[in-house]
């Protein structure tokens, strides 16, 4: 809504009054885009009392995390020798820089409100758009928090005044390196993701890496601990890389090593210039391809018949299930959930040492994950849901079709989790109880998701976009509501989970039988009740729900 208001401001630029180039200057474009970003940010965060509360809670949580990091760096400055302080500063700064750059690939788009395609039809200079995107980070959320974090980061040099002053002076350069790298890699990732299959494969690989972050970090920490004094050698290498050079300059200045300090400053400057050059080219491509259309792979294979629609009964709920199953196979926003499950099994094995421990809860956790995936189905299925309304699909048929589409892959995966848990733990006597808890988690969670997605929806990535992309309008309040939904799903499993825990502690076989009976009886009842209630709500408020998800486009 703010874009039309931008047109008169641009039209009143100095050049337009003299009959020359009607486009505004670089600095004026940057200032206008920054103001637009500020107004949109304030409007998004204050549009309702609940949003304000969520923003305050999220801000307090973020500040708490930054305070903990700052406290750790403050303490490290007094507990470590000078070499250790230098190693901490370099490695922490390099890790933060890499995190900013990698976040661009994970999110799929650095800032949806100031994306270049939003301004392709306006007579704006490319350099002005780039400046606006950088300055816009100052009035967003991540940018200011990063500035605060960098200020706290300088506490690592608190015992050396020269190094501390140098770190404060270089702070804007470090922030700029992070933000420009983020924007550059975002633009490059978008060009690569435009090739649909390549983008989907990269997305799934990134998802696997994120899931395995714990084992990877554990291995790294173990490796670092075994390095001992060799960590300083690693720091020396990182200090000459594009991500670590800038953070080593304060130590060089404090030590009077002016030649290395100048050399590392030059590395940082060349890195920033290279990122700007790459970003300029990628930004031009974004402006040329302003429609954001996804280029599909030009495969020659042809599908004969109606696919899954030919293999399921000719009923409204079956048509919905067939279309949902197609999404589970071809849409990375759905198929990513299927990839997560095998990775979860790896995590269970790693964290439980091969057997016992978390393995006992593999089946229920997989069931909860699969059930939760359909909580945002209406938002994911925007056009399909509109078709349901126009063709008069009953609300219960819409709910049932989505549940069936999820259960067809969900039941085998949940069963696999239960069997692996019993096999790796050599606890086949717990199999009935694990089946009961898993059934209640999967079916009861599906019923709750059927109600939730009919009553509440939230912004989701659009088709063809990365599942990790944070869509415009997604706030801390959305996260809190989803957390509450997951908590309620966990609470639903308690009637079967409590007897299961009793069997784990006492070895009572009767408790395991009770858990099984509760799961196989209460699970289907809760699922049927959720489908019925969700269907009633769908029929009662379908136009309002469609209007809500339409706003996300």
């Amino acid at each position: 809504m703010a874009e039309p208001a931008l047109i008169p401001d641009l039209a009143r630029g100095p050049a337009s009054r003299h009959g020359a180039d009607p486009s505004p200057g670089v600095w004026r474009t940057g200032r206008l885009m920054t103001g637009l970003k500020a107004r949109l940010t304030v409007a998004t965060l204050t549009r309702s009392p609940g949003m304000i509360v969520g923003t305050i809670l999220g801000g307090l949580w973020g500040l708490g995390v930054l305070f903990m990091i700052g406290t750790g760096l403050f303490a490290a400055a007094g507990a470590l020798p000078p070499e250790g302080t230098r190693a901490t500063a370099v490695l922490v700064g390099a890790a933060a820089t890499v995190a900013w750059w990698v976040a661009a690939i994970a999110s799929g788009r650095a800032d949806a409100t100031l994306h270049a395609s939003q301004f392709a039809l306006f007579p704006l200079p490319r350099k002005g758009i780039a400046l606006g995107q950088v300055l816009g980070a100052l009035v967003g959320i991540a940018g200011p928090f990063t500035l605060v974090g960098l200020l706290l980061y300088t506490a690592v040099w608190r015992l050396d005044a020269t190094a501390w002053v140098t770190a404060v002076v270089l702070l804007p350069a470090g922030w700029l390196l992070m933000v420009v790298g983020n924007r550059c890699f975002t633009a490059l990732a978008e060009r690569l993701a435009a090739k649909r299959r390549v983008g989907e494969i990269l997305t799934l690989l990134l998802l696997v890496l994120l899931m395995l972050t714990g084992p990877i970090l554990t291995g790294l920490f173990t490796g670092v601990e075994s390095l001992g004094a060799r960590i300083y050698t690693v720091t020396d290498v990182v200090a000459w890389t594009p991500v670590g050079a800038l953070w080593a300059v304060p130590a060089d200045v404090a030590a009077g090593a002016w030649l290395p300090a100048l050399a590392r400053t030059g590395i940082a400057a060349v890195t920033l210039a290279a990122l700007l050059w790459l970003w300029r080219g990628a930004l031009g491509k974004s402006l040329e391809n302003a429609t954001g259309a996804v280029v599909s792979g030009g495969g020659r294979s042809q599908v004969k018949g109606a696919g899954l629609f030919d293999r399921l009964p000719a009923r409204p709920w079956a048509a919905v299930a067939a279309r949902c199953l197609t999404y589970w196979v071809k849409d990375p926003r759905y198929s990513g959930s299927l990839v997560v499950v095998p990775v979860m099994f790896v995590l269970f094995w790693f964290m439980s040492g091969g057997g016992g421990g978390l393995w006992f809860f593999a089946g229920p956790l997989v069931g909860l994950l699969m059930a939760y995936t359909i909580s945002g189905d209406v938002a994911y299925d925007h056009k399909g849901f509109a078709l349901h309304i126009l063709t008069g699909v009953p609300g219960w048929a819409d709910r049932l079709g989505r549940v069936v589409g999820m259960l067809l892959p969900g039941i085998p995966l949940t069963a696999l989790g239960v069997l692996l848990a019993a096999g790796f733990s050599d606890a086949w006597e717990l199999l009935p109880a694990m089946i009961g808890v898993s059934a209640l988690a999967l079916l009861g969670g599906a019923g709750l998701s059927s109600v939730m997605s009919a009553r509440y929806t939230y912004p989701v990535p659009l088709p063809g976009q990365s599942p990790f992309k944070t869509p415009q309008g997604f706030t801390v309040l959305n996260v809190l509501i989803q957390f509450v939904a997951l908590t309620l799903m966990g609470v639903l499993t308690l009637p079967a989970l409590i007897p299961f825990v009793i069997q784990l502690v006492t070895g009572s076989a009767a408790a395991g039988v009770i858990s099984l009976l509760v799961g196989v009886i209460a699970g289907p009842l809760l699922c049927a009740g959720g489908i019925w209630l969700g269907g009633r709500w769908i029929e009662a408020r379908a136009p309002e729900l469609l209007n809500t998800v339409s706003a996300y486009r």
Side-chain angles (χ1 to χ4, degrees):
M1 295 179 64
E3 289 181 357
L6 189 66
I7 299 176
D9 291 337
L10 298 178
R12 289 195 293 267
S16 64
R17 291 194 297 266
H18 292 86
D21 184 3
S23 63
V26 172
W27 289 103
R28 179 175 172 80
T29 301
R31 180 177 62 83
L32 289 171
M33 292 181 64
T34 304
L36 175 61
K37 172 62 178 176
R39 293 194 295 272
L40 290 174
T41 300
V42 172
T44 300
L45 298 180
T46 61
R47 63 185 180 186
S48 68
M51 194 71 68
I52 295 175
V53 172
T55 300
I56 294 174
L57 293 177
L60 292 176
W61 177 82
L63 290 175
V65 172
L66 291 178
F67 177 77
M68 292 175 59
I69 295 175
T71 302
L73 292 174
F74 186 89
L80 296 175
E83 296 83 359
T85 301
R86 176 179 180 270
T88 301
V90 172
L91 295 180
V92 170
T97 304
V98 172
W100 256 92
W101 293 3
V102 172
I105 304 174
S107 64
R109 178 176 292 182
D111 193 340
T113 56
L114 295 184
H115 190 257
S117 62
Q118 304 285 346
F119 304 93
L121 300 181
F122 297 104
L124 302 177
R126 187 183 304 178
K127 291 182 179 180
I129 294 177
L131 179 63
Q133 289 185 348
V134 172
L135 295 179
L138 287 171
V139 294
I141 297 177
F145 270 89
T146 302
L147 277 177
V148 174
L150 288 175
L151 284 172
L152 295 174
Y153 161 81
T154 60
V156 75
W157 299 111
R158 65 184 178 86
L159 298 181
D160 192 316
T162 303
W164 181 81
V165 171
T166 304
V168 172
V169 172
L170 293 177
L171 188 150
W175 182 86
L176 192 63
L177 185 67
M178 293 179 179
V179 173
V180 172
N182 179 276
R183 298 295 193 262
C184 175
F185 285 106
T186 297
L188 294 176
E190 284 182 348
R191 290 184 60 187
L192 187 60
K195 299 179 179 180
R196 183 169 179 176
R197 295 304 175 191
V198 175
E200 291 176 359
I201 292 173
L202 290 177
T203 296
L204 295 178
L205 287 176
L206 180 61
L207 178 61
V208 172
L209 289 176
L210 289 177
M211 289 287 294
L212 295 177
T213 298
I216 292 173
L217 289 179
T218 301
L220 289 177
F221 289 147
T222 303
V224 169
E225 185 178 358
S226 65
L227 284 175
R230 288 180 293 173
I231 191 66
Y232 301 133
T233 304
V234 174
T235 302
D236 291 337
V237 174
V238 175
W240 288 106
T241 63
V243 297
L246 187 68
W247 313 107
V249 173
D252 292 336
V253 173
W258 296 105
L259 187 60
L262 289 174
R264 291 191 174 99
T265 302
I267 292 175
V270 171
T271 300
L272 184 59
L275 290 173
L276 288 171
W277 180 76
L278 290 172
W279 183 25
R280 177 179 173 83
L283 189 62
K285 295 295 183 181
S286 297
L287 291 172
E288 294 171 4
N289 303 314
T291 59
V294 177
V295 181
S296 61
R300 298 182 179 179
S301 60
Q302 297 181 355
V303 178
K304 296 182 180 180
L308 290 173
F309 292 92
D310 279 342
R311 292 168 174 80
L312 292 176
R315 297 289 186 272
W317 65 267
V320 176
R323 187 163 46 77
C324 291
L325 277 173
T326 303
Y327 293 164
W328 279 102
V329 174
K330 295 186 177 181
D331 192 333
R333 299 174 302 167
Y334 284 80
S335 58
S337 300
L338 301 180
V339 174
V340 164
V341 173
V343 180
M344 286 180 62
F345 294 152
V346 175
L347 291 177
F348 291 143
W349 180 84
F350 176 81
M351 298 178 68
S352 62
L358 281 178
W359 264 122
F360 293 135
F361 304 96
L365 287 175
V366 171
L368 283 178
L369 173 66
M370 296 300 297
Y372 178 74
T373 53
I374 61 174
S375 64
D377 250 15
V378 174
Y380 281 116
D381 192 29
H382 173 263
K383 293 183 179 179
F385 182 67
L387 182 63
H388 296 179
I389 297 176
L390 294 175
T391 56
V393 173
W396 67 267
D398 175 275
R399 303 289 87 186
L400 178 60
R402 298 180 190 279
V403 170
V404 170
M406 180 275 296
L407 289 179
L408 287 177
I411 290 176
L413 289 173
T414 304
L416 179 62
V418 172
L419 293 175
L420 288 177
F424 277 109
S425 303
D426 195 20
W428 294 100
E429 69 278 3
L430 298 175
L431 186 61
M434 287 190 287
I435 292 175
V437 179
S438 301
L440 188 55
L442 179 64
L443 296 176
L448 182 60
S449 290
S450 298
V451 175
M452 177 184 173
S453 61
R455 191 68 183 88
Y456 171 79
T457 186
Y458 47 86
V460 297
L462 301 181
Q465 292 181 338
S466 168
F468 303 106
K469 177 187 178 296
T470 302
Q472 183 177 345
F474 193 89
T475 63
V476 176
L477 182 62
N478 300 122
V479 178
L480 292 177
I481 293 177
Q482 293 181 52
F483 176 77
V484 171
L486 279 171
T487 302
L488 289 176
M489 289 183 184
V491 171
L492 285 178
T493 65
L494 289 179
L497 182 62
I498 292 175
F500 174 47
V501 174
I502 292 175
Q503 185 183 13
L504 278 176
V505 175
T506 65
S508 172
V513 174
I514 294 174
S515 179
L516 174 63
L517 293 176
V518 170
V520 298
I521 294 174
L525 290 176
L526 287 173
C527 185
I531 291 172
W532 176 81
L533 180 58
R536 292 289 299 272
W537 278 357
I538 284 285
E539 294 174 352
R541 59 186 308 271
E544 292 82 358
L545 196 60
L546 180 60
N547 183 63
T548 301
V549 297
S550 297
Y552 299 150
R553 298 284 172 163

